[in-house]
Amino acid sequence: MNDMIRIDDLVFKYTRDDTGEEVNAIKGVSFAIEKGSFTAIIGRNGSGKSTLAKNINALLLPTSGFVYVNGYNTSIQENLWDVRQSAAMVFQNPDNQIVSSIVEDDVAFGPENLGVESAEIRRRVDESLKAVNMYHNRKKAPHMLSGGQKQRIAIAGAIAMKPDCIVFDEPTAMLDPKGRSEVMAIINSLNEEGITVILITHFMEEAAEADRVIIMDDGVVRLDGTPEEVFSHADELREMNLDIPMPVELARRLRARGIDIPADIINIEEMVEYLCQYR
Amino acid sequence: MLRDITLGQYYPGESWIHRLDPRVKIIAALVYVAALFIVDNLIGFAIALAALAAVIIISKVPLSFILKGLKLIFLIIIFTVIMNLFMIKGGDVLVEIGPLSIEEKGLYTAFFMAARLILLIIGSSMLTLTTKPISLTDGIEALLSPFSKIGVPAHELAMMMTIALRFIPTLLEETDKIMKAQQARGADFESGNLISRAKSLIPILIPLFIGAFRIAHDLAMAMEARCYRGGQHRSRMNAMKLSGRDAAASVMLAVFLAAVIVIRIVL
Ligand SMILES: Nc1ncnc2c1ncn2[C@@H]1O[C@H](COP(=O)(O)OP(=O)(O)O)[C@@H](O)[C@H]1O
Ligand SMILES: [Mg+2]
């Protein structure tokens, strides 16, 4: 029972509204995610990442196979609210997930839906807003805030439900570099506080911060391991049109010229430090 | 242009009126509107005017701010008054200008009509000026919820209003962006006759609608992810509580209504 999420041979098919034609978005995926871990999921557009995320949150239910969240089988109707409360979700577009015209009322939306009692909601809202550094903006209207700030409100809304796990579906894709680094800092600090993080992204530098990287392609898992292991499969990544983090690419080219760089160096700081000491 | 309309706009403040329970304020506004239709003589109107003046003074909303947003509506009232003045006949002839004349009955009707409309509009805008939109929707939900047993979708209506309030600014921004993008490609929204101007709006409306449906789809999903399941099981962060202030306001409202009814019967 140390698994936050267990996915067993998940298959998911969409039926298109217009043609009735079936789209096979997930073609047999199995993996488990440990409690408290930080996993990044990468893959090109259309590889099935969002579909997988929605299956974890019971927004979509498996066509076949099983998804267990905190031990709850998502396919069982009675588990629905436990599943969604255990595994919260933050979406890509910050504008389209904020419900209320006042920041603090929006953060209260999740706990209100769970029927939490007023004083406790107040406490959670204040706590969550402080955790994302937006407490001073609690009375503002969301449309007056920047994209990064709105995304932090959405994260506060997820935290206020007291989830064990948060699934982030490309949360930084629509943000400027400043907003991106703010959001990444919050994701890291949430993970340090014990929340299991699943981060879907197409920024390799973000994935390099995770404990584990899963690469999806065409509805299946292609690579799965620590960032070091996964990034060492440079040829496969390139074949899937995925970028390789700059330091990893640099290390590969240096190695090709006979300079021996350890495989665990994947971020810029470590690389700079290593090269400065190299002789 | 769209931003100048004060009808339905909130004027932030902490006055006694601002702090009243939204349910009390909604009922007070309804009673006030009803009272205006009970009133049929000058003393009655004087009382209604005095009540409104008191509310405005206590609320500390500047009169200029209230009137600023009502310009267009006043134009309509003036037009109605002029029509009434000249069209309604009866009693002594007061003024004759060529073929037109103003008669006693016309003057009366026009005066009462104008007084009633002006008080009605200012009176009801006091509700929105002193109540946060979000409290207003909470108040409407609470007042309608007894009727949900007979099929009034109280929670759904309130939720729709909440979402509309949230997304109106977003859609206005979106419209602005689309218009600028079209203008950059040479679109012209300002010249030509009415029909060609209306036609030039089509390239704005289509992307706007598609955008709105996208938002609706994404938002529905985000709400479900946050355990939204309609009104049942739902609690509120700011539970509404009636206070002594609300009791006092209710008594004053009752006195006002009684006075208006008595004057109508006696005079
Ligand atoms: N609502 C839908 N109806 C039909 N097909 C869909 C729908 N959503 C996604 N798909 C298809 O499923 C596949 C996986 O999509 P998605 O999970 O969104 O990928 P990703 O998030 O990795 O870009 C794609 O081929 C996409 O076209
Ligand atoms: Mg996606």
Side-chain angles (χ1 to χ4, degrees):
Chain A
M1 257 321 296
N2 234 348
D3 292 341
M4 178 66 231
I5 287 161
R6 209 174 86 229
I7 297 177
D8 269 348
D9 205 15
L10 172 68
V11 172
F12 187 88
K13 293 179 182 159
Y14 287 103
T15 313
R16 291 189 49 161
D17 303 331
D18 40 358
T19 53
E21 176 193 345
E22 285 201 331
V23 181
N24 216 339
I26 309 249
K27 305 171 179 171
V29 164
S30 303
F31 60 80
I33 293 205
E34 211 176 299
K35 280 208 169 110
S37 62
F38 181 170
T39 306
I41 301 182
I42 315 181
R44 61 180 135 192
N45 272 341
S47 57
K49 307 179 299 293
S50 296
T51 308
L52 182 67
K54 287 171 191 162
N55 270 282
I56 293 173
N57 198 268
L59 289 169
L60 298 175
L61 297 177
T63 306
S64 77
F66 296 99
V67 177
Y68 296 93
V69 174
N70 227 353
Y72 295 112
N73 182 342
T74 62
S75 303
I76 296 173
Q77 173 66 30
E78 290 90 83
N79 291 343
L80 187 62
W81 311 112
D82 290 316
V83 167
R84 288 188 182 158
Q85 187 269 319
S86 308
M89 189 148 168
V90 173
F91 297 85
Q92 178 174 27
N93 188 335
D95 254 315
N96 302 359
Q97 53 186 321
I98 294 178
V99 184
S100 177
S101 48
I102 297 174
V103 165
E104 61 175 13
D105 286 329
D106 184 74
V107 176
F109 184 71
E112 286 180 338
N113 289 333
L114 293 168
V116 176
E117 168 260 329
S118 327
E120 168 68 10
I121 300 182
R122 184 78 254 174
R123 255 197 44 236
R124 287 192 190 185
V125 166
D126 291 349
E127 238 171 51
S128 313
L129 282 170
K130 282 175 189 156
V132 299
N133 229 327
M134 287 294 286
Y135 186 67
H136 55 291
N137 283 327
R138 66 191 177 283
K139 300 276 185 201
K140 291 230 172 100
H143 70 98
M144 307 298 276
L145 304 175
S146 72
Q149 289 176 317
K150 279 187 261 196
Q151 200 59 299
R152 278 146 66 190
I153 300 298
I155 295 175
I159 307 173
M161 292 167 63
K162 297 240 176 247
D164 303 302
C165 167
I166 304 181
V167 183
F168 296 88
D169 191 354
E170 305 202 30
T172 60
M174 299 179 76
L175 306 182
D176 57 12
K178 182 165 169 285
R180 260 165 60 191
S181 65
E182 288 166 358
V183 167
M184 278 312 292
I186 286 162
I187 293 177
N188 275 310
S189 80
L190 290 177
N191 182 241
E192 273 155 32
E193 279 160 34
I195 293 182
T196 310
V197 169
I198 299 178
L199 172 66
I200 297 173
T201 180
H202 55 233
F203 295 110
M204 286 292 172
E205 315 85 76
E206 293 179 2
E209 296 181 34
D211 310 327
R212 175 180 176 191
V213 176
I214 294 176
I215 308 270
M216 292 208 41
D217 192 42
D218 195 22
V220 297
V221 172
R222 278 283 291 272
L223 295 168
D224 182 353
T226 62
E228 294 81 13
E229 283 162 15
V230 168
F231 294 144
S232 67
H233 293 78
D235 296 333
E236 268 180 278
L237 291 176
R238 222 171 298 113
E239 174 213 321
M240 287 183 272
N241 286 330
L242 294 172
D243 296 331
I244 298 162
M246 189 275 277
V248 174
E249 178 65 13
L250 180 61
R252 195 184 62 83
R253 294 196 190 177
L254 289 172
R255 264 180 231 119
R257 300 200 173 190
I259 301 172
D260 188 32
I261 310 276
D264 61 346
I265 293 188
I266 54 169
N267 69 39
I268 293 185
E269 291 86 55
E270 288 169 359
M271 179 61 99
V272 169
E273 199 162 312
Y274 184 80
L275 289 178
C276 288
Q277 287 164 4
Y278 184 82
R279 48 191 80 238
Chain B
M1 167 188 75
L2 286 170
R3 283 157 224 267
D4 291 341
I5 299 171
T6 37
L7 195 69
Q9 190 173 317
Y10 175 60
Y11 183 85
E14 286 288 324
S15 75
W16 196 83
I17 305 267
H18 280 81
R19 282 179 291 162
L20 283 176
D21 188 288
R23 290 169 291 183
V24 173
K25 280 191 272 188
I26 294 170
I27 291 176
L30 291 174
V31 167
Y32 189 73
V33 169
L36 288 175
F37 286 92
I38 296 174
V39 162
D40 67 343
N41 58 48
L42 279 176
I43 298 175
F45 273 114
I47 291 178
L49 181 66
L52 183 61
V55 168
I56 293 175
I57 291 167
I58 299 170
S59 74
K60 300 204 180 84
V61 181
L63 194 61
S64 57
F65 186 87
I66 302 173
L67 298 180
K68 194 181 68 191
L70 301 174
K71 275 186 214 143
L72 188 71
I73 294 169
F74 283 138
L75 271 178
I76 298 171
I77 292 177
I78 290 170
F79 179 74
T80 332
V81 167
I82 293 175
M83 291 297 282
N84 273 304
L85 266 183
F86 290 103
M87 304 307 271
I88 295 181
K89 302 292 173 197
D92 299 338
V93 177
L94 300 174
V95 187
E96 268 197 283
I97 317 162
L100 299 173
S101 69
I102 299 176
E103 294 178 14
E104 212 173 351
K105 194 149 176 261
L107 184 64
Y108 260 44
T109 318
F111 172 77
F112 282 121
M113 165 91 83
R116 209 167 256 148
L117 282 175
I118 291 171
L119 292 178
L120 189 144
I121 288 161
I122 297 181
S124 45
S125 52
M126 285 317 289
L127 172 64
T128 51
L129 282 165
T130 62
T131 316
K132 268 189 267 172
I134 235 41
S135 317
L136 206 56
T137 51
D138 281 353
I140 292 172
E141 178 171 3
L143 288 174
L144 286 180
S145 63
F147 303 104
S148 56
K149 285 190 193 68
I150 56 163
V152 177
H155 168 76
E156 287 75 5
L157 282 173
M159 192 47 115
M160 274 161 58
M161 285 169 61
T162 305
I163 292 172
L165 284 169
R166 156 74 183 87
F167 283 97
I168 287 168
T170 308
L171 287 176
L172 285 178
E173 255 168 51
E174 199 68 18
T175 315
D176 211 47
K177 253 193 265 168
I178 297 170
M179 278 178 86
K180 290 218 175 85
Q182 311 274 25
Q183 271 165 342
R185 294 176 198 140
D188 178 8
F189 303 116
E190 262 106 44
S191 58
N193 61 20
L194 207 59
I195 294 174
S196 70
R197 276 212 248 173
K199 267 191 190 154
S200 73
L201 285 179
I202 294 175
I204 298 174
L205 289 179
I206 291 175
L208 195 61
F209 267 98
I210 294 175
F213 280 115
R214 246 212 92 68
I215 294 178
H217 175 266
D218 284 3
L219 187 70
M221 189 143 266
M223 285 170 72
E224 268 193 74
R226 290 164 79 182
C227 293
Y228 181 66
R229 51 187 129 164
Q232 324 100 299
H233 306 289
R234 199 167 139 76
S235 59
R236 301 311 306 270
M237 175 166 71
N238 301 313
M240 284 180 287
K241 263 209 304 282
L242 294 172
S243 65
R245 203 183 304 129
D246 299 303
S250 308
V251 171
M252 287 186 254
L253 185 66
V255 170
F256 167 74
L257 185 62
V260 165
I261 294 174
V262 168
I263 283 168
R264 161 99 190 213
I265 296 170
V266 174
L267 295 178

